[in-house]
Amino acid sequence: QVQLAESGGGLVQAGGSLRLSCAASGSIYKINGMGWYRQAPGEQRELVAVISRGGTITYAESVKGRFFISRDNAKNMVALQMNSLKPEDTAVYYCNANIRTVYTAQTYDYWGQGTQVTVSS
């Protein structure tokens, strides 16, 4: 019913930049919050940045001032600009969206398949 398609991961040297994008598609009535999470090997999945439909943003302390989240409500897209990347940013990054579909008034969290970001030192 709903798909989240991510793009933009890859390998970059420390200090470099990457931009992740995520597009939601399917039987969407409304998207509430959208965001990015990441999971490093052996670690729990953690919040990176989230943005509400109205534009309220929350960042993890570890990425403040380096990562910037944005969204386009008309295109059902969210992006994450990652600057000054560090080796500790290496992880699989997942797009998340809280969505109400056309079939029900309930909302559900949907996840992308994940995209690998590797930062070499």
Side-chain angles (χ1 to χ4, degrees), residues 35-94:
W36 293 91
Y37 291 72
R38 66 187 181 187
Q39 187 168 19
E43 302 290 333
Q44 289 189 332
R45 190 172 298 187
E46 64 176 3
L47 179 148
V48 176
V50 293
I51 181 169
S52 72
R53 184 172 182 82
T56 300
I57 294 171
T58 300
Y59 291 107
E61 285 294 328
S62 60
V63 307
K64 280 183 178 179
R66 299 188 298 121
F67 291 12
F68 300 93
I69 190 171
S70 60
R71 68 184 283 175
D72 185 331
N73 290 333
K75 296 181 179 179
N76 292 335
M77 293 184 67
V78 64
L80 185 69
Q81 177 66 40
M82 304 185 293
N83 301 324
S84 302
L85 282 159
K86 304 175 181 180
E88 51 263 44
D89 294 318
T90 295
V92 177
Y93 284 69
Y94 296 91

Side-chain angles (χ1 to χ4, degrees), residues 1-6 22-34 75-77 95-104 106-113:
Q1 295 181 350
V2 172
Q3 298 82 38
L4 298 182
E6 301 146 339
C22 174
S25 61
S27 303
I28 297 169
Y29 178 81
K30 182 181 179 181
I31 302 178
N32 297 313
M34 302 186 81
K75 296 181 179 179
N76 292 335
M77 293 184 67
C95 175
N96 168 269
N98 184 262
I99 296 174
R100 176 185 170 184
T101 69
V102 299
Y103 303 111
T104 175
Q106 285 188 299
T107 63
Y108 295 92
D109 276 338
Y110 292 85
W111 294 89
Q113 77 283 1

